[in-house]
């Protein structure tokens, strides 16, 4: 279990440092910034790389919503849910702290939103609560469906991190303007602690909506789409 929790810690750490770091440091860099497209790919690449690196140890969840979705789908043991959540959240917080130390080395640095998630005034596109709630539920549900499908017994083994990473990239391409894209409560928690906005006051939505979406996606897979009968813990790659 220590190896599994360590893998989840480092995987989530890399997701937050790479994904949120791309938004804080590189997205708007003068003249050569990577923009929303680059940030979207950065999040997908963090999941793809760490899923291959440590996914065989822990299943490569890196996301409390993914752990819940896999548990509801019968691919993960519910008794391990809380330890995984703790490792993921701690990894996200430590990564956000490291990112803050790096980013604050710039002379005119201000944390601002610090890649945090939000709705209303904290939404990049000023989308309201309902839009944010629906987006986070729907995109998380489809993320879980992608993960369950890519790791099912009916598809070739060893390629799952690729569609899962690209799936997370696509989710960010669509939803960054709405909520700055969470689909991952740990990712939202880590950076919210360092933001100079009211992000902590809105953090509840980025736990509630992804967890609902994850359970919904797992139920849809089990009842309508799933063809395999796996009930044990399997290697799954994910993140957000």
């Amino acid at each position: 279990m220590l190896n599994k929790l360590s893998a989840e810690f480092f995987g989530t750490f890399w997701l937050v440092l790479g994904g949120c770091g791309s938004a804080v440091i590189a997205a708007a860099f003068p003249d050569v910034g990577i923009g929303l497209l680059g940030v979207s790919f950065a999040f997908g690449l963090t999941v793809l790389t760490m899923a291959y690196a440590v996914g065989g140890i822990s299943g490569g969840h890196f996301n409390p919503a993914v752990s819940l979705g896999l548990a509801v789908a019968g691919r993960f043991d519910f008794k391990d849910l809380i330890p995984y959540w703790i490792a993921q959240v701690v990894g996200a917080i430590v990564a956000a702290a490291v990112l803050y130390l790096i980013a604050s080395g710039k002379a005119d640095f201000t944390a601002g939103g610090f890649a945090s998630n939000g709705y209303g005034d904290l939404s990049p596109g000023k989308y309201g609560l309902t839009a944010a709630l629906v987006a986070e539920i729907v995109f998380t549900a489809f993320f879980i469906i992608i993960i369950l499908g890519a790791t099912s017994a009916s598809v070739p083994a060893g390629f799952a991190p690729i569609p899962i990473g690209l799936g997370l990239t696509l989710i960010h391409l669509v939803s960054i303007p709405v909520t700055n894209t969470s689909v991952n409560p740990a990712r939202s928690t880590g950076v919210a602690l360092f933001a100079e906005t009211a992000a902590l006051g809105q953090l509840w939505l980025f736990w509630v909506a992804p967890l609902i979406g994850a359970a919904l996606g797992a139920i849809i897979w089990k009842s309508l789409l799933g063809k395999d009968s796996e009930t044990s813990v399997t290697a799954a790659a994910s993140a957000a």
Side-chain angles (χ1 to χ4, degrees), residues 19 102 107 154 198 220 227:
I102 295 170
S154 60
I220 291 172
K227 295 180 180 180

Side-chain angles (χ1 to χ4, degrees), residues 200-225:
L200 277 175
Q202 297 186 359
L203 184 59
W204 66 270
L205 185 142
F206 302 102
W207 274 88
V208 172
L211 293 180
I212 291 174
L216 182 61
I219 292 169
I220 291 172
W221 175 263
K222 286 184 67 175
S223 60
L224 299 175
L225 301 173

Side-chain angles (χ1 to χ4, degrees), residues 146-235:
I146 292 168
I147 291 168
L148 292 171
T151 58
S152 67
S154 60
V155 300
F159 295 97
I162 298 173
I164 292 170
L166 290 175
L168 188 61
T169 298
L170 176 59
I171 288 169
H172 278 77
L173 285 171
V174 178
S175 63
I176 285 178
V178 183
T179 62
N180 215 21
T181 310
S182 172
V183 302
N184 185 336
R187 166 259 191 272
S188 298
T189 301
V191 290
L193 295 173
F194 295 88
E196 295 176 347
T197 65
L200 277 175
Q202 297 186 359
L203 184 59
W204 66 270
L205 185 142
F206 302 102
W207 274 88
V208 172
L211 293 180
I212 291 174
L216 182 61
I219 292 169
I220 291 172
W221 175 263
K222 286 184 67 175
S223 60
L224 299 175
L225 301 173
K227 295 180 180 180
D228 62 292
S229 59
E230 295 172 295
T231 57
S232 61
V233 176
T234 62

Side-chain angles (χ1 to χ4, degrees), residues 12-152:
T12 312
F13 178 99
W14 187 240
L15 184 150
V16 172
L17 185 64
C20 296
S22 71
V24 171
I25 296 173
F29 195 80
D31 300 325
V32 294
I34 62 175
L36 297 185
L37 178 63
V39 173
S40 299
F41 272 101
F43 273 99
L45 288 171
T46 62
V47 170
L48 190 156
T49 52
M50 288 308 288
Y52 275 121
V54 301
I57 300 171
S58 67
H61 302 184
F62 319 142
N63 181 337
V66 170
S67 296
L68 177 64
L70 293 174
V72 172
R75 304 272 197 93
F76 182 66
D77 199 326
F78 271 103
K79 72 178 177 61
D80 294 332
L81 196 58
I82 298 303
Y84 264 55
W85 283 7
I86 293 172
Q88 291 157 357
V89 171
V90 173
I93 293 172
V94 174
V98 171
L99 176 58
Y100 187 89
L101 286 174
I102 295 170
S104 62
K106 191 170 183 288
D108 58 349
F109 169 77
T110 56
F114 203 64
S116 59
N117 303 111
Y119 55 86
D121 289 339
L122 301 187
S123 160
K126 308 305 178 187
Y127 287 81
L129 171 61
T130 300
L133 184 67
V134 172
E136 289 293 327
I137 290 174
V138 171
F139 283 115
T140 308
F142 272 87
F143 190 40
I144 296 300
I145 290 171
I146 292 168
I147 291 168
L148 292 171
T151 58
S152 67

